[in-house]
């Protein structure tokens, strides 16, 4: 790379909402995730010289990455390493724009790793298949999630609703979504580290193997039911299964009072179902609603309670032709 002027590359990676079975997916249980059309965007420049600079420009101000800085550097280094790049032989600049700073649980870290990989490839003029992008991004995601299932980077790469089963080949397939998926995403105001929550569940599994294998069976049933409900466009059925998914996550110890308060509130306000989404321990809650006016009203009420909230449509994506 020596002697090369930096050329700019840009990349995007989708965030995601897990409709059913976060955490259990780490252990090979099927899970369903759908992209959120608020991607993470990264600009990268690779040129001659040496050094690594990472800048984050949050749309809403502040410094949301304060606690995650060292993780972010480490993730970038792992991605660079996987691509055969090094900050001792190249001058690398990374800029990340973010409109949902710190809202953990929405796959922002995987979105970042995918966007970064795409941006680096573009900067280098190096063609890279989605499969390769996904594989490289996974190595960065390992920093944030300890033992990532791969579901986040997969949705971040392909931007498709997925049925994901770790250990199966291929691990994911596109799932058909038979209804508009309007959801309210409420932020607990507490950023959480996914890997801490993943480790918590690992301890729970080691301490209660029988109970955990019961969860695995139950969660598999929930996933199958959720897939059928999604495909048939049965929002009520899907919502009921999301409620059951949340109950299981509570028992696994990854919910908290703020998430539970939002979940109960949204159900009382008429949500079809509500659950935490992603790693938990803070982060975000997801409530399935019937239409945008209901969702906007619910998000407004959550805001009044002090929880930042948005109403968005999860992307069903284009049907395969
Ligand atoms: O907190 P997030 O958005 O990184 O989501 C984590 C999802 C988990 O199932 C808890 C971990 C994983 O790798 O699947």
């Amino acid at each position: 790379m020596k002697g090369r002027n930096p050329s700019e590359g840009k990349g995007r990676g989708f965030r995601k909402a897990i409709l059913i079975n976060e955490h259990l997916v780490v252990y090979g249980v099927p899970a369903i995730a759908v992209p959120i059309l608020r991607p993470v965007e990264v600009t990268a420049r690779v040129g001659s010289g040496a050094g690594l600079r990472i800048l984050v420009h949050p749309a809403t101000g502040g410094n949301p990455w304060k606690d995650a800085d060292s993780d972010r550097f480490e993730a970038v280094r792992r991605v660079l390493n996987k691509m055969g790049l090094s900050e001792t032989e190249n001058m690398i600049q990374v800029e990340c724009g973010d409109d949902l700073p710190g809202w953990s649980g929405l796959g922002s870290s995987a979105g970042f790793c995918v966007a970064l990989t795409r941006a680096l490839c573009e900067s280098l003029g190096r063609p890279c298949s989605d499969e390769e992008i996904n594989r490289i991004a996974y190595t960065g995601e390992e920093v944030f999630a300890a033992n990532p299932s791969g579901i986040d980077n997969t949705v971040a790469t392909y931007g498709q609703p997925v049925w994901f089963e770790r250990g199966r080949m291929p691990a994911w397939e596109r799932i058909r979504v038979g209804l508009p998926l309007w959801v309210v995403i409420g932020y607990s105001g507490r950023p959480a580290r996914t890997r801490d929550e993943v480790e918590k569940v690992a301890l729970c599994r080691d301490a209660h193997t029988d109970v955990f294998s019961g969860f695995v069976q139950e969660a598999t049933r929930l996933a199958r039911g959720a897939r059928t409900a999604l495909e048939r466009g049965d929002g009520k059925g899907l919502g009921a299964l999301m409620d059951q998914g949340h109950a299981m996550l509570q028992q696994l110890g990854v919910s908290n009072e703020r998430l539970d308060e939002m979940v109960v509130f949204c159900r009382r306000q008429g949500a079809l179902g509500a659950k935490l989404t992603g790693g938990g321990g803070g982060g975000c809650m997801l409530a399935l609603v019937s239409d945008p006016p209901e969702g906007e009203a619910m998000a407004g009420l959550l805001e009044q309670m002090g929880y930042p909230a948005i109403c968005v449509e999860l992307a069903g994506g284009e049907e395969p032709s």
Side-chain angles (χ1 to χ4, degrees), residues 218-256:
E218 176 63 2
T220 304
R221 184 188 69 78
L222 295 183
R224 292 200 182 114
R227 179 173 186 160
T228 306
L230 256 185
E231 288 176 343
R232 288 189 182 148
D234 172 10
K236 255 187 156 174
L238 176 62
L241 292 159
M242 287 168 64
D243 288 347
Q244 291 173 49
H246 183 71
M248 199 179 295
L249 293 165
Q250 282 177 313
Q251 290 183 65
L252 286 170
V254 294
S255 192
N256 67 15

Side-chain angles (χ1 to χ4, degrees), residues 195-217:
R195 68 165 182 260
D196 293 345
E197 302 308 307
V198 169
E199 276 159 18
K200 205 189 278 177
V201 172
L203 289 176
C204 169
R205 175 179 178 249
D206 293 347
H208 310 283
T209 39
D210 288 352
V211 179
F212 196 85
S213 65
F215 283 161
V216 166
Q217 280 178 24

Side-chain angles (χ1 to χ4, degrees), residues 80-98:
L80 293 174
N81 184 41
K82 192 83 178 168
M83 293 180 69
L85 293 167
S86 135
E87 68 198 270
T88 55
E89 292 181 12
N90 307 276
M91 166 61 82
I92 298 155
Q93 290 172 15
V94 175
E95 283 177 25
C96 175
D98 196 2

Side-chain angles (χ1 to χ4, degrees), residues 48-319:
S48 54
L52 172 62
R53 193 144 186 237
I54 306 175
L55 296 171
V56 179
H57 302 295
T60 50
N63 185 3
W65 303 120
K66 211 168 49 195
D67 298 329
D69 265 358
S70 58
D71 281 357
R72 191 161 297 263
F73 266 92
E74 177 60 19
V76 172
R77 287 194 174 106
R78 289 204 195 178
V79 167
L80 293 174
N81 184 41
K82 192 83 178 168
M83 293 180 69
L85 293 167
S86 135
E87 68 198 270
T88 55
E89 292 181 12
N90 307 276
M91 166 61 82
I92 298 155
Q93 290 172 15
V94 175
E95 283 177 25
C96 175
D98 196 2
D99 65 339
L100 294 176
W103 289 39
S104 44
L106 303 181
S108 300
S109 57
F112 172 76
C113 293
V114 166
L116 168 71
T117 310
R118 288 197 190 284
L120 288 168
C121 287
E122 192 177 289
S123 167
L124 295 165
R126 187 188 287 182
C128 201
S129 66
D130 281 347
E131 205 180 330
E132 213 176 327
I133 299 274
N134 195 16
R135 207 171 31 243
I136 294 169
Y138 181 88
T139 62
E141 178 66 352
E142 278 177 312
V143 174
F144 300 102
N147 174 21
S149 63
I151 190 169
D152 283 15
N153 45 287
T154 297
V155 178
T157 302
Y158 294 96
Q160 306 258 353
V162 302
W163 169 271
F164 190 92
E165 266 183 271
R166 187 181 202 179
R168 221 181 53 161
M169 286 298 279
W172 71 280
E173 63 183 283
R174 187 191 191 286
I175 192 168
R176 206 174 69 76
V177 176
L179 75 167
L181 284 176
W182 285 98
V183 295
V184 172
I185 299 173
Y187 175 45
S188 66
R190 303 274 156 84
R193 290 203 317 179
T194 303
R195 68 165 182 260
D196 293 345
E197 302 308 307
V198 169
E199 276 159 18
K200 205 189 278 177
V201 172
L203 289 176
C204 169
R205 175 179 178 249
D206 293 347
H208 310 283
T209 39
D210 288 352
V211 179
F212 196 85
S213 65
F215 283 161
V216 166
Q217 280 178 24
E218 176 63 2
T220 304
R221 184 188 69 78
L222 295 183
R224 292 200 182 114
R227 179 173 186 160
T228 306
L230 256 185
E231 288 176 343
R232 288 189 182 148
D234 172 10
K236 255 187 156 174
L238 176 62
L241 292 159
M242 287 168 64
D243 288 347
Q244 291 173 49
H246 183 71
M248 199 179 295
L249 293 165
Q250 282 177 313
Q251 290 183 65
L252 286 170
V254 294
S255 192
N256 67 15
E257 279 171 24
R258 296 169 79 88
L259 290 167
D260 289 344
E261 184 181 34
M262 286 192 283
V263 160
V264 169
F265 177 78
C266 290
R267 287 179 192 153
R268 287 206 185 119
Q269 290 297 315
L272 298 167
K275 60 183 277 295
L276 73 84
T277 188
C284 292
M285 168 282 340
L286 185 71
L288 183 65
V289 293
S290 304
D291 52 48
E294 185 191 9
E296 295 293 350
M298 208 178 280
L301 292 169
L302 284 174
E303 292 265 357
Q304 282 173 25
M305 291 163 72
Y307 296 115
I310 49 171
C311 171
V312 287
E313 186 179 12
L314 300 180
E318 293 295 313
E319 288 290 330

